[in-house]
Amino acid sequence: AAPGDGPDRHPGPPPAASPEPEPAYRLSPLTLVTAPANYLRNYLVPVLVAVIAGTYSFNPWMLGGAAVAVVAMLLSGMLTWYTLRYQVGAERLEIHRGLINRSHRSIPLERIRGVDISANLLHRMLGLAVVKIEAAAGGGASEEGKLDAVTAQEAERLRHVLLQRRAYLRSGAEAAAPRAEGAAVESDSSAAAEESQAEVYFTMPAGWYFYSVLSLGYLLTPFVALATLLGFLSQGLGDAMGEQLGDTVYELYQWAAEVTLSLLIAAALVLVLLLLIAMPLFAVVSYAVTHWRFTLRRRDDTLVTERGLFTRQSVTLEKRRIRGHELVDSPFERMRSAVHLRAIVTGLGQTATRAMLMPIGPRSRIEQVVGQALQPFRGTLARHPRAALGRRLFRAV
């Protein structure tokens, strides 16, 4: 019950008063697991190199250094959980962190542009999520707040409270103010009611994953994976097993010098055939991992996109900031009348990833979604005059 509730209170909607600040919260205690895992992911290669090199030549300094690095990662996770506090105030989001080098970030709620939620595989296994708040700063710049990691329920509650309080501050007394205690312990029934009010514009069918073979970026995925593997071997195992790799390369060179030219041509053809088979296969797999169960829905005055198999991302865009849309295609996509949809959004960071509203798909279906979710252009396009072509070519030269 909110403060002031009692038997003598008249029934009716709560008064449109300014919302009260919430208490300060910590991150989930499971940050002790996720924070060291994030550090280990960034420094995995040097740690593995130290362990392999130290074990191969039995170098206690390298093994000891790797052990110290792992312990430091564990302590950093404990320090992150112990020092970070966040508080949703009446007008600002306050984030405090740090023990020695302290940081205090204050984000005005009325300047919030979007509240995005993501969760990688480890976070999803532990029931956690990452909340990323982007807000407008002075001079057209942007500032961000990131909470890694809170429970999935707390992430959804935070997004709801932040967007609701932003709407209240922008519209004044016209919007109903959220009550502090009710926002802090929002029930599952209200969240389910909000979800039921959301209008789903699009849910990605399984057949759309095969449109990835029309994208050159996804077709080159095998080469990217091969380059990453070779880079890891050259930087990591190459230092620990340099002599063995050098001998192996020399033996392969001697073998190639002895075999006939026809065998080399046949081996090259087999390699090209394997790459031609791997390119569409890797394209479909990587595309499916990125856009798994892609969904576009409307929630109040925002558009929400969700995607991802291992790392699930939920991106929120304000409809009032969407100034238009783009239907983009490549030559390969144009052959199958396929496009992908992007929003033209003002004041948005990371536009290439956050402004994508629809993945590659049939133009007719995407135009249908545009008619439902956005305001499509109904006018007539006119060509440039012939004189513009000569001027364009002259300036290009």
Side-chain angles (χ1 to χ4, degrees):
D5 286 347
D8 56 342
R9 182 176 180 180
H10 297 287
S18 176
E20 298 181 2
E22 294 186 353
Y25 295 103
R26 283 180 175 173
L27 299 177
S28 169
L30 293 176
T31 307
L32 302 177
V33 178
T34 59
N38 290 333
Y39 286 116
L40 182 61
R41 180 182 57 187
N42 296 330
Y43 298 99
L44 180 62
V45 173
V47 170
L48 284 179
V49 169
V51 172
I52 294 176
T55 304
Y56 181 76
S57 59
F58 192 67
N59 189 330
W61 290 103
M62 284 192 173
L63 293 177
V68 169
V70 173
V71 172
M73 294 175 190
L74 296 175
L75 293 178
S76 67
M78 183 179 300
L79 186 64
T80 300
W81 172 81
Y82 180 76
T83 60
L84 195 145
R85 300 284 193 281
Y86 66 92
Q87 181 182 20
V88 180
E91 297 182 355
R92 311 180 76 88
L93 171 65
E94 311 286 348
I95 302 178
H96 300 261
R97 70 177 70 209
L99 182 62
I100 299 176
N101 295 326
R102 294 183 177 180
S103 170
H104 174 207
R105 173 156 294 185
S106 181
I107 301 176
L109 298 181
E110 62 180 344
R111 289 183 174 269
I112 290 180
R113 292 170 173 169
V115 181
D116 300 339
I117 299 176
S118 63
N120 57 31
L121 187 58
L122 178 61
H123 285 79
R124 295 171 66 183
M125 291 174 59
L126 299 176
L128 303 177
V130 180
V131 180
K132 188 175 181 181
I133 304 101
E134 184 176 3
S142 64
E143 59 179 350
E144 293 181 349
K146 185 177 180 180
L147 300 176
D148 183 5
V150 297
T151 62
Q153 294 81 4
E154 173 66 4
E156 290 293 341
R157 188 197 72 84
L158 266 177
R159 174 157 64 180
H160 175 74
V161 170
L162 291 175
L163 296 181
Q164 191 178 23
R165 296 200 176 194
R166 180 196 64 183
Y168 171 82
L169 291 173
R170 288 179 177 175
S171 60
E174 296 179 0
R179 291 173 293 180
E181 296 183 10
V185 289
E186 186 172 351
S187 62
D188 295 338
S189 60
S190 61
E194 179 188 357
E195 190 68 22
S196 63
Q197 294 176 357
E199 180 181 358
V200 178
Y201 292 126
F202 175 77
T203 301
M204 187 169 177
W208 280 41
Y209 298 126
F210 294 99
Y211 280 100
S212 59
V213 299
L214 303 177
S215 174
L216 185 61
Y218 285 99
L219 286 175
L220 296 179
T221 303
F223 299 98
V224 177
L226 184 61
T228 303
L229 179 61
L230 292 178
F232 173 75
L233 292 177
S234 62
Q235 295 180 11
L237 299 181
D239 296 336
M241 305 176 62
E243 296 182 359
Q244 288 76 1
L245 291 177
D247 295 340
T248 303
V249 172
Y250 181 70
E251 293 175 359
L252 290 176
Y253 170 76
Q254 286 186 324
W255 174 82
E258 295 175 356
V259 300
T260 61
L261 181 61
S262 59
L263 290 179
L264 292 178
I265 295 177
L269 292 176
V270 170
L271 180 60
V272 171
L273 181 61
L274 291 177
L275 285 177
L276 290 177
I277 296 175
M279 286 173 65
L281 179 62
F282 272 69
V284 173
V285 171
S286 60
Y287 190 78
V289 168
T290 304
H291 299 288
W292 183 257
R293 292 174 56 193
F294 181 94
T295 304
L296 173 65
R297 61 167 56 94
R298 178 189 61 82
R299 184 179 296 164
D300 295 332
D301 59 344
T302 62
L303 293 179
V304 182
T305 60
E306 295 181 358
R307 68 171 70 86
L309 177 60
F310 299 122
T311 299
R312 193 71 180 168
Q313 293 182 332
S314 176
V315 178
T316 304
L317 294 178
E318 287 185 273
K319 293 192 68 174
R320 73 183 189 92
R321 290 190 177 274
I322 299 179
R323 296 294 183 258
H325 65 274
E326 291 180 309
L327 296 178
V328 187
D329 60 13
S330 66
F332 292 130
E333 297 166 357
R334 201 172 305 131
M335 295 170 58
R336 299 301 303 270
S337 188
V339 296
H340 63 271
L341 175 65
R342 291 180 54 187
I344 301 175
V345 186
T346 60
L348 182 66
Q350 299 179 352
T351 306
T353 55
R354 294 195 62 215
M356 197 195 78
L357 292 181
M358 292 279 290
I360 305 173
R363 175 183 285 270
S364 58
R365 180 69 178 95
I366 291 183
E367 288 179 346
Q368 180 183 357
V369 174
V370 170
Q372 296 174 346
L374 303 173
Q375 296 179 355
F377 176 70
R378 302 296 187 185
T380 303
L381 296 179
R383 290 183 176 273
H384 280 282
R386 176 63 62 177
L389 177 60
R391 181 177 298 179
R392 177 69 186 90
L393 294 176
F394 177 78
R395 292 186 177 183
V397 174

